[in-house]
Amino acid sequence: MDDSARGGRRKSVGGRLAGRAALVTGAASGIGLATVHRFVEEGARVAAVDLDAARTAEAVAGHDSVVVLGADVRDSAQVDAAYASALAEFGRLDIAVNAAGISGVRADICDLTDDDFADVIAVNLAGTFYSVRAAVRAMRGNSPSGGSVVNVSSVGALANFPLPAMYPASKAGVLGMTRAVAALVAPDMIRVNAVAPGATDTRMLPQDGEIRRAVVELGVLRRAASAEEIAHTILFLASEESAFYTGQTLSPNGGYVMH
Ligand SMILES: NC(=O)c1ccc[n+]([C@@H]2O[C@H](COP(=O)([O-])OP(=O)(O)OC[C@H]3O[C@@H](n4cnc5c(N)ncnc54)[C@H](O)[C@@H]3O)[C@@H](O)[C@H]2O)c1
């Protein structure tokens, strides 16, 4: 009996990531979830990691090649445990995507508390660091094939963006870290790149109101991206098609920023 006869999804046997093992954080929804689906379509086995394991399990139900792991990226021990589980399951790790993130409270700078600032940095910057470190530890054992790490930043790291200071600060930090680690791990054949999406239709983007209008209308395409459109860029950076890219930022942003 094949997968479709059991009511499940078909497992891809070929594809651009055939034989690869990946770990994706922020996998319960939005860009992380779209990335999990895209990777599976391209033949990868995927560890789908999120704070909300139940929502992740529901979202990826039917995929034989996905393992769901609950972890809070603010806690390095939980991140390390998720990588250990993925390695135990797959025997190797080739790709890591760091999409877990929060936008934080929206308030005037004078009303932001220390905790408001620290919360966003803990998830978006420290959480990404813990995951990058665990990914490098796992991939160094792959020599000579190495691996690919993709960090999800934001167009808010590249240009003015209507969110409080800690969000663009965290996402600019991700870009700095991406370049620093890329240089350090290049001898291990591990590539580290970033994606800096513009407005993308996920739970994070308000469905209406001033913020949505501002971010959508500043892009010359005058629309938000779908999560799948961002996953296409992540797939490119994860695959061997981007073999000459490291320390780079690709920004699918609908013309919000033009260099
Ligand atoms: N939506 C946009 O317009 C946009 C634009 C630029 C960048 N981004 C970035 O894209 C990434 C994905 O966001 P999204 O838009 O898909 O939103 P989303 O809210 O749908 O997805 C974020 C996921 O991260 C998970 N998460 C949050 N905190 C976590 C933690 N401490 N540990 C583990 N998982 C945690 C959430 O449960 C959720 O599943 C984020 O890093 C976000 O900053 C989004």
Side-chain angles (χ1 to χ4, degrees):
M1 197 192 317
D2 70 10
D3 283 342
S4 54
R6 285 196 296 264
R9 290 169 195 264
R10 259 177 206 285
K11 196 161 65 173
S12 177
V13 286
R16 291 153 73 186
L17 301 182
R20 300 301 162 98
L23 184 149
V24 178
T25 73
S29 64
I31 293 168
L33 177 61
T35 301
V36 172
H37 285 308
R38 197 72 191 84
F39 280 11
V40 170
E41 281 167 17
E42 294 296 341
R45 291 172 296 164
V46 185
V49 179
D50 202 282
L51 193 55
D52 192 338
R55 200 159 50 89
T56 311
E58 204 176 309
V60 303
H63 280 314
D64 295 343
S65 43
V66 179
V67 174
V68 174
L69 301 169
D72 183 339
V73 299
R74 293 171 294 188
D75 179 347
S76 66
Q78 291 189 38
V79 173
D80 289 346
Y83 274 86
S85 299
L87 277 173
E89 182 72 25
F90 304 140
R92 60 182 289 118
L93 192 76
D94 308 288
I95 297 161
V97 177
N98 297 306
I102 57 172
S103 55
V105 298
R106 289 169 190 156
D108 182 84
I109 186 164
C110 298
D111 299 323
L112 290 173
T113 67
D114 296 2
D115 283 347
D116 292 337
F117 188 86
D119 286 348
V120 173
I121 298 298
V123 179
N124 295 3
L125 187 54
T128 300
F129 168 71
Y130 300 146
S131 187
V132 170
R133 181 177 62 187
V136 170
R137 285 176 179 155
M139 291 173 186
R140 274 200 165 139
N142 290 350
S143 181
S145 62
S148 174
V149 178
V150 184
N151 295 325
V152 181
S153 174
S154 166
V155 75
L158 306 174
N160 178 34
F161 200 68
L163 279 179
M166 60 274 188
Y167 185 79
S170 70
K171 293 300 188 178
V174 166
L175 296 189
M177 179 164 58
T178 297
R179 289 188 289 266
V181 180
L184 194 73
V185 301
D188 302 297
M189 305 301 286
I190 302 170
R191 300 183 297 109
V192 188
N193 291 291
V195 174
T200 306
D201 261 324
T202 67
R203 294 189 324 164
M204 192 177 279
L205 184 69
Q207 280 311 297
D208 46 37
E210 211 175 302
I211 289 180
R212 185 185 177 93
R213 273 195 299 283
V215 294
V216 168
E217 286 175 15
L218 279 170
V220 296
L221 295 184
R222 291 187 175 268
R223 67 172 177 86
S226 66
E228 290 70 26
E229 286 177 299
I230 307 305
H232 293 320
T233 306
I234 295 173
L235 169 63
F236 170 68
L237 289 175
S239 78
E240 282 309 299
E241 291 159 24
S242 60
F244 203 49
Y245 285 71
T246 198
Q248 304 302 308
T249 300
L250 295 186
S251 184
N253 62 48
Y256 190 103
V257 176
M258 299 191 197
H259 291 290

